[in-house]
């Protein structure tokens, strides 16, 4: 089976004859899809994630307003579209299980140069104009997959070292304290930062995976350019009735690229109207050039919040002030290139190592789904040879 061919119905139905233990690092869409697919086929899977919960860029942020009430925000990917038949089949299954739904709202575009709303638009790559969201939050997809039978999830557990041992169960994982996290037959790295030199930029430490182990993959992993983004979470007591759409792309703005009304998605609370703004990569890059990738001070985040909201106000569509406003930095929001479009994941068959993520296929949820499926297919083929 070529790398571009996905799991056949026969492979999906087949139980793995030999018990195989696989570690999946990262609980975003690609890691969660991979783990779920492996578990459905009899593989023992453990997911490791340094975060408090699953989701990656499809995380849902929980905040508390001044009145003590909880506010939720899909502060990463606002929605996703699917055109590939393999991805569509999986999304339809998720719909039937109740943790995915279509988001049926009018989207539009606003030109900051002419200060005019340009009317409704169809998102690029969205042939049927279908927009899907997780319910009740974007992280519901990863949460459901990570809680699937056969999947053990270890949150708040960062991987500091992936050691290759010339033994029957070759992979040994360690945390930042040097403690052993287990031995595994195979590893799936769905977090690009643990295999990229960018890990060093953020932590000052070498990446957990020594790329000398995988020289054929190292050249592709040496430089995965990324585009940063800031998101601004806003909550209003009253609807912003002057905005004629619930999702807006911005043209001719150096600060804003996108805005959407989060509280109009299926399954969300309507106690307040919640909007999320996304910055342009250029704006985010200019901030990071000054601050670096270390944790931002509250003063810096407040300044970013003010600049992004002021640009939103300049549209003339914002009729009131928010009672909640908070910015979040996505330091590596979108991969700027795809490194395995045909194969859909990177694979080292000698070490049962798969590397998957949207940076392999395309910088969106569909790309992450397809890459996760491809990685699972590789491991399932390997397990049949044990």
């Amino acid at each position: 089976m070529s790398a571009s061919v996905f799991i056949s119905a026969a492979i999906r139905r087949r139980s793995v004859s030999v018990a195989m233990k696989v570690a999946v690092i990262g609980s975003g869409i690609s890691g969660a899809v991979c783990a779920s697919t492996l578990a459905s086929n009899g593989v023992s899977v453990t997911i490791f994630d340094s975060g408090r919960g699953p989701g990656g860029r499809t995380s849902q942020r929980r905040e508390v307003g001044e009145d003590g009430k909880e506010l939720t925000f899909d502060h990463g990917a606002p929605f996703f579209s699917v055109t590939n038949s393999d991805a569509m089949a999986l999304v339809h299954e998720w719909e039937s299980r109740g943790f995915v739904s279509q988001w049926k709202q009018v989207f539009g575009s606003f030109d900051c140069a002419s200060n005019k709303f340009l009317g409704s638009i169809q998102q690029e790559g969205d042939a049927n104009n279908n927009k899907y969201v997780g319910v009740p939050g974007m992280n519901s997809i990863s949460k459901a997959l990570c809680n699937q039978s056969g999947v053990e999830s270890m949150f708040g557990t960062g991987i500091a070292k992936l050691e290759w041992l010339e033994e029957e169960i070759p992979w040994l994982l360690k945390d930042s304290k040097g403690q052993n996290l287990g031995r595994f037959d195979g590893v799936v790295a769905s977090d690009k930062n643990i295999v990229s030199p960018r890990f060093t930029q953020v932590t000052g430490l070498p990446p957990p995976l020594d790329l000398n182990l995988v020289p054929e993959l190292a050249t592709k992993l040496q430089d995965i350019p990324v585009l940063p983004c800031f998101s601004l979470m806003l909550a209003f007591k009253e609807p912003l009735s002057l905005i004629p759409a619930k999702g807006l792309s911005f043209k001719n703005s150096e600060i804003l690229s996108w805005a959407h009304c989060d509280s109009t998605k299926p399954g969300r609370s309507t106690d307040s109207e919640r909007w999320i703004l996304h910055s342009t990569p250029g704006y985010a890059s200019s901030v990071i050039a000054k601050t670096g990738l270390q944790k931002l001070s509250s003063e810096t985040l407040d300044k970013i919040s003010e600049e992004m909201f002021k640009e939103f106000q300049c549209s003339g569509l914002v009729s009131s002030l928010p009672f909640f406003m908070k910015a979040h930095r996505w330091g590596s929001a979108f991969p700027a290139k795809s490194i395995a479009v045909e194969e859909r994941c990177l694979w080292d068959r000698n070490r049962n190592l798969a590397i998957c993520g949207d940076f392999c296929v395309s910088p969106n949820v569909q790309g992450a789904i397809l890459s996760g499926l491809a990685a699972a297919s590789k491991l399932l083929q390997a397990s049949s040879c044990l």
Side-chain angles (χ1 to χ4, degrees):
M1 182 184 294
S2 69
S4 62
V5 178
F6 285 98
I7 306 168
S8 66
I11 290 178
R12 286 193 177 109
R13 291 192 298 267
R14 183 184 64 211
S15 293
V16 178
S17 58
V18 178
M20 187 184 195
K21 293 181 63 178
V22 173
V24 176
I25 305 170
S27 66
I29 292 293
S30 60
V33 165
C34 180
S36 171
T37 304
L38 290 173
S40 295
N41 286 274
V43 174
S44 174
V45 183
T46 304
I47 290 181
F48 295 94
D49 197 299
S50 59
R52 292 177 293 177
R57 283 206 320 276
T58 56
S59 297
Q60 186 181 65
R61 187 71 169 261
R62 296 181 180 276
E63 299 287 347
V64 178
E66 292 181 354
D67 59 0
K69 292 184 179 180
E70 183 179 74
L71 302 167
T72 59
F73 299 92
D74 291 333
H75 65 317
F79 67 93
F80 64 96
S81 302
V82 285
T83 55
N84 176 276
S85 59
D86 294 285
M88 182 67 77
L90 201 55
V91 171
H92 285 166
E93 177 190 333
W94 296 345
E95 277 191 286
S96 69
R97 293 169 62 184
F99 57 85
V100 162
S101 180
Q102 286 193 42
W103 183 26
K104 298 179 180 180
Q105 292 288 343
V106 174
F107 283 25
S109 179
F110 185 84
D111 187 351
C112 292
S114 62
N115 219 41
K116 291 182 179 179
F117 177 72
L118 302 180
S120 62
I121 59 171
Q122 179 170 306
Q123 295 298 304
E124 182 179 354
D126 185 9
N128 298 314
N129 205 26
N130 291 335
K131 306 169 185 66
Y132 294 95
V133 296
V135 178
M138 286 297 288
N139 65 342
S140 298
I141 302 170
S142 290
K143 187 179 293 185
L145 300 179
C146 290
N147 287 330
Q148 180 175 315
S149 176
V151 179
E152 179 184 8
S153 298
M154 304 286 289
F155 297 111
T157 307
I159 302 299
K161 186 70 175 178
L162 289 163
E163 289 190 11
W164 171 262
L165 308 175
E166 297 292 343
E167 298 179 12
E168 185 177 357
I169 304 179
W171 286 106
L172 172 64
L173 274 60
K174 293 184 176 181
D175 64 15
S176 59
K177 297 179 181 178
Q179 295 181 338
N180 293 348
L181 297 173
R183 297 279 292 273
F184 299 89
D185 300 293
V187 169
V188 178
S190 68
D191 181 350
K192 61 182 174 294
N193 290 326
I194 73 160
V195 297
S196 167
R198 186 176 177 81
F199 183 87
T200 302
Q201 298 175 26
V202 177
T203 66
L205 301 172
L209 177 66
D210 181 358
L211 293 182
N212 291 321
L213 291 173
V214 286
E216 292 184 1
L217 306 184
T219 53
K220 292 186 177 182
L221 293 168
Q222 282 294 338
D223 180 27
I224 305 175
V226 293
L227 301 175
C229 175
F230 280 97
S231 61
L232 179 62
M233 298 168 278
L234 301 168
F236 298 86
K237 291 182 178 179
E238 301 294 334
L240 300 184
S241 56
L242 296 179
I243 302 180
K246 299 306 181 183
L248 286 172
S249 65
F250 288 89
K251 299 183 181 299
N252 298 310
S253 173
E254 295 182 359
I255 297 177
L256 295 182
S257 65
W258 174 256
H260 76 272
C261 185
D262 210 43
S263 50
T264 62
K265 294 177 182 176
R268 272 58 170 185
S269 167
T270 55
D271 288 346
S272 62
E273 178 153 299
R274 298 178 304 285
W275 282 79
I276 296 175
L277 315 182
H278 286 179
S279 77
T280 62
Y283 173 79
S285 295
S286 67
V287 173
I288 291 173
K290 299 173 184 176
T291 63
L293 289 171
Q294 69 271 17
K295 184 177 180 179
L296 296 177
S297 66
S298 57
E299 291 80 10
T300 299
L301 287 172
D302 287 345
K303 181 180 179 182
I304 292 165
S305 298
E306 291 169 4
E307 290 178 345
M308 292 180 66
F309 182 65
K310 183 178 179 180
E311 184 79 349
F312 194 34
Q313 281 184 306
C314 286
S315 66
L317 301 175
V318 182
S319 54
S320 60
L321 294 176
F323 68 85
F324 178 88
M325 182 166 67
K326 189 173 185 178
H328 174 82
R329 179 185 66 192
W330 294 99
S332 53
F334 305 103
K337 73 174 183 179
S338 302
I339 62 175
V341 176
E342 295 298 323
E343 303 87 349
R344 294 177 172 169
C345 72
L346 299 182
W347 173 245
D348 188 311
R349 61 183 178 87
N350 295 320
R351 291 186 166 81
N352 283 346
L353 171 68
I355 298 170
C356 64
D358 59 359
F359 56 95
C360 290
V361 184
S362 56
N364 49 39
V365 171
Q366 176 170 273
I369 291 172
L370 296 179
S371 191
L373 287 173
S377 179
K378 293 296 186 183
L379 267 299
L380 288 173
Q381 291 176 62
S383 70
S384 68
C385 298
L386 290 179

